[in-house]
Amino acid sequence: MTVEASDAEQADTAPKFILYLEGPEYGRALRGLTLWVHHVLLPVYGREVTSMAPWCSRWWEHPEAVAQLHGLWLAWGELSDTGSEAGASGPAAWHRDFLGPIMQNLRDPSGVFAGCRPGGHRPKEVPTVDAADPFGPPPG
């Protein structure tokens, strides 16, 4: 087998980023992410919920949170295996480069979960845009 074939096979088996998925494929990815968030991330790294560090108990209803948590999970899968190319320093790199910044961003008082309280999800309004495709052909 050539290196090129091996790279192509790896690309086929590599997980896709969740925002590129739809239907059952999205559902399976979200289920896997939910298991990781509920059984690894939150029990170990969740910390107490306060007004200065909010968390939404319905985090999966925030597309930005899903995207960020999925990226965090993918990085976990790559860096937590000390037998992989990441080596023994992989977990430390994951904590430094991914966990801290993402959790800080998610739990910022004006961030993704702003307005959500324990037991109280608040949907966010998507910003309005004047035109669906401002550089596309005019409707017509």
Side-chain angles (χ1 to χ4, degrees):
M1 176 181 290
T2 67
V3 173
E4 291 173 17
S6 177
D7 289 345
E9 286 176 6
Q10 285 180 347
D12 289 341
T13 60
K16 292 181 183 175
F17 185 53
I18 200 163
L19 294 183
Y20 291 113
L21 304 177
E22 295 178 326
E25 194 176 19
Y26 177 85
R28 285 188 297 276
L30 187 58
R31 172 72 175 139
L33 175 60
T34 300
L35 290 171
W36 181 78
V37 168
H38 291 188
H39 297 284
V40 176
L41 183 69
L42 291 178
V44 177
Y45 304 105
R47 299 186 185 168
E48 187 173 358
V49 175
T50 67
S51 61
M52 295 304 294
W55 181 266
C56 185
S57 60
R58 299 178 67 86
W59 59 266
W60 57 89
E61 292 186 16
H62 297 271
E64 182 181 353
V66 169
Q68 289 193 39
L69 289 168
H70 191 255
L72 187 62
W73 181 40
L74 292 175
W76 165 273
E78 181 179 314
L79 296 172
S80 66
D81 179 3
T82 57
S84 72
E85 284 185 36
S89 63
W94 180 81
H95 285 90
R96 180 195 64 217
D97 298 338
F98 299 97
L99 176 67
I102 288 175
M103 291 299 279
Q104 184 175 7
N105 187 36
L106 287 173
R107 300 192 70 184
D108 186 275
S110 62
V112 177
F113 301 137
C116 294
R117 301 287 177 255
H121 165 72
R122 191 188 109 207
K124 306 298 182 275
E125 291 185 31
V126 176
T128 59
V129 177
D130 288 338
D133 184 359
F135 302 104

